[in-house]
Amino acid sequence: MSDGTHQETLGDVVRQLAAIAVIRRRLVRELPQGAGNGSMVLAALAQHGETRLRELAHHLDCDLSVVSRQVAHLEQQGAVERRANPDDRRSSLLSITPQGRALFDALVQVHTDLMDEATVDWTPEELATLTGLLERLKDGLSRRARRAQPLDCLPARPLAHTPSTRCVPASRPEGERD
């Protein structure tokens, strides 16, 4: 595939992922009582177990203040509980409650039902192919995110169908390696 065609195809991928993100946000807003607002917090606590707020923000790759607000909201709902950290009294440990687990399980079911409806005419092979490709994409993006190199440039209209701006990783301080 020529470089121009490859860049054009990647632009199409980015546009499709952006469109899916918009649809997902709309679907999350339609969940009862704003249940989707803390869904990622609940997912992280369900996966990682009891953790400190700072670690939770790290798992979510999200600003501490944003995660703190979501946790406070989930605490008010009884979905998350906080207890003093016995190893460091300056911090707290967060965990998902049985009520939070039930909410999380219900959210997973809602998302599963939505995906089932959206892919009702797909074959098991097509779903397996999609899963494999999404996993490869996630792994590639994860490797890039771990390097955390800022880009020297950003295209003026990143989702527009125009020739792409070639961005290169910013130079790193001397001695810094992958």
Side-chain angles (χ1 to χ4, degrees):
M1 186 181 309
S2 74
D3 189 45
T5 303
H6 184 75
Q7 290 297 315
E8 197 172 296
T9 302
L10 289 176
D12 291 340
V13 170
V14 169
R15 281 185 286 286
Q16 292 302 317
L17 290 173
I20 290 169
V22 168
I23 293 166
R24 184 186 176 283
R25 280 193 303 272
R26 185 174 58 223
L27 291 170
V28 165
R29 283 193 306 266
E30 292 174 5
L31 292 173
Q33 301 171 346
N37 291 338
S39 61
M40 296 308 292
V41 168
L42 292 176
L45 288 173
Q47 179 182 1
H48 299 287
E50 189 174 62
T51 188
R52 294 180 332 157
L53 183 62
R54 185 170 304 282
E55 292 166 349
L56 183 60
H58 176 75
H59 288 307
L60 296 171
D61 193 25
C62 204
D63 188 75
L64 188 62
S65 65
V66 171
V67 176
S68 180
R69 282 191 302 274
Q70 290 178 346
V71 165
H73 178 72
L74 290 168
E75 278 184 292
Q76 289 174 347
Q77 290 182 316
V80 170
E81 65 185 3
R82 183 185 310 249
R83 72 177 182 93
N85 184 343
D87 297 330
D88 181 358
R89 293 287 182 192
R90 296 170 296 174
S91 68
S92 299
L93 295 174
L94 303 169
S95 60
I96 192 168
T97 65
Q99 182 177 339
R101 174 59 79 170
L103 175 59
F104 175 68
D105 291 345
L107 292 171
V108 168
Q109 189 59 54
V110 166
H111 284 92
T112 302
D113 291 347
L114 288 169
M115 290 300 290
D116 183 48
E117 186 178 327
T119 60
V120 69
D121 58 344
W122 291 38
T123 66
E125 293 79 17
E126 289 172 321
L127 286 172
T129 298
L130 176 64
T131 301
L133 292 173
L134 287 172
E135 188 169 348
R136 280 182 65 192
L137 178 60
K138 174 198 53 104
D139 290 346
L141 290 171
S142 180
R143 282 191 304 277
R144 171 60 178 84
R146 282 194 303 267
R147 288 195 316 254
Q149 297 172 337
L151 297 176
D152 283 336
C153 63
L154 291 176
R157 298 183 325 173
L159 299 179
H161 194 67
T162 58
S164 66
T165 303
R166 297 295 300 225
C167 293
V168 295
S171 58
R172 285 182 254 160
E174 205 167 303
E176 187 178 322
R177 298 183 359 213
D178 284 341

